[in-house]
Amino acid sequence: GGFGAVGALQGISNPIQVAQKLLKQSSEGSLPLGRVPPIVLVGEGAWLWAKQQEFQTFNPDKLITDRARAVYLDHKSRLDEAVQPSAAKRKKRDYEMNSQQEERLDTVGAICVDCRGEISAGVSSGGISLKFPGRLGQASMFGCGCWAEKLSSDSCSAIACSTSGTGEYIIKTMLARECAVATVNSTLYTALNDRFLCSSSLANIRQKLAGVIAVNVNQESELVLERSPSYR
């Protein structure tokens, strides 16, 4: 299989297309002088590479919808007002922010199986509202945002997963790969519980948010689609 990813990339309308081309080029072998082709590019380097590959670039402000701008300004205003809050105000603010968790997430994941049984997975995300500049979520991390593999070279059995949720916690648990491995002999519900909710890496985390979709192609060429609940 192959892997390609970009992160902290601005001014490109469909970053996953850049990641797909990076994957394709990395599978074509070494570069001149034996250099190893990159599989992950971030920030300005990712933007320059995309431009060299003739992807159309835009002013980043042109890619922000009115709704996204309004949500950001609302959250930024709350953050600015959060300096030295009283206990009552802090509790109310935490409740309000938690109740709008879905508004602050915009991850899109997909899994594809073709007529030959070849399987692939992808994930794209703008990240979480109020994220730090330069922050990378799970989407661009190997084994975290998505995973796809054939289970054996002499059969059509395959598994793929795509994840969404709190990127830092998904990265700590390598959730996509872990769920893919566990789902081969278990259910996605059990895999998510064992590999995420009960993970020792998240033992001190009170609120855990993640969702996973998975497709399992078994030896009888049957497709099994599973979608986990979202956990808090």
Side-chain angles (χ1 to χ4, degrees), residues 4 8 16 43 55 60-61 65 80-81 87 89 105 113 127 147 167 171 197 199 204 228 230-231:
I16 198 166
F55 282 93
D61 290 341
T65 65
D80 293 341
E81 295 172 359
K89 288 184 178 179
L105 300 172
V113 183
W147 186 266
I171 292 169
L197 291 180
S199 170
N204 298 319
S228 74
S230 292
Y231 287 99

Side-chain angles (χ1 to χ4, degrees), residues 207-230:
Q207 185 185 57
K208 305 170 186 178
L209 178 67
V212 183
I213 57 172
V215 170
N216 192 340
V217 184
N218 61 31
Q219 292 183 355
E220 287 74 36
S221 297
E222 296 176 336
L223 292 179
V224 180
L225 171 65
E226 294 189 83
R227 179 185 181 277
S228 74
S230 292

Side-chain angles (χ1 to χ4, degrees), residues 4 28 36 42 55 97 108 112 145 170 178 186 191 193 207:
E28 293 175 349
V36 177
V42 299
F55 282 93
M97 291 297 283
V108 176
C112 179
I170 291 175
E178 288 297 301
S186 181
N193 182 74
Q207 185 185 57

Side-chain angles (χ1 to χ4, degrees), residues 74-75 78-79 92-102 104 129-130 232:
D74 175 59
H75 292 162
R78 297 187 193 196
L79 182 63
K92 180 180 179 181
R93 188 189 70 249
D94 289 346
Y95 171 78
E96 290 174 343
M97 291 297 283
N98 291 337
S99 69
Q100 295 185 13
Q101 183 73 34
E102 288 76 14
R104 297 184 286 138
S129 181
L130 303 179
R232 291 184 181 276

Side-chain angles (χ1 to χ4, degrees), residues 92-215:
K92 180 180 179 181
R93 188 189 70 249
D94 289 346
Y95 171 78
E96 290 174 343
M97 291 297 283
N98 291 337
S99 69
Q100 295 185 13
Q101 183 73 34
E102 288 76 14
E103 274 193 58
R104 297 184 286 138
L105 300 172
D106 65 351
T107 302
V108 176
I111 296 170
C112 179
V113 183
D114 68 14
C115 60
R116 298 171 298 176
E118 299 294 335
I119 195 167
S120 61
V123 61
S124 184
S125 177
I128 193 169
S129 181
L130 303 179
K131 61 182 178 290
F132 285 88
R135 177 256 190 192
L136 290 176
Q138 86 279 4
S140 58
M141 298 292 188
F142 183 74
C144 302
C146 60
W147 186 266
E149 67 173 318
K150 299 199 71 171
L151 301 179
S152 64
S153 58
D154 58 352
S155 76
C156 61
S157 298
I159 183 73
C161 289
S162 185
T163 70
S164 177
T166 304
E168 284 73 14
Y169 305 155
I170 291 175
I171 292 169
K172 282 186 174 184
T173 56
M174 289 193 72
L175 188 60
R177 181 184 184 279
E178 288 297 301
C179 278
V181 171
T183 303
V184 172
N185 298 309
S186 181
T187 66
L188 183 58
Y189 182 90
T190 299
L192 189 60
N193 182 74
D194 294 346
R195 305 301 175 100
F196 186 74
L197 291 180
C198 298
S199 170
S200 59
S201 299
L202 305 179
N204 298 319
I205 305 300
R206 181 178 61 86
Q207 185 185 57
K208 305 170 186 178
L209 178 67
V212 183
I213 57 172
V215 170

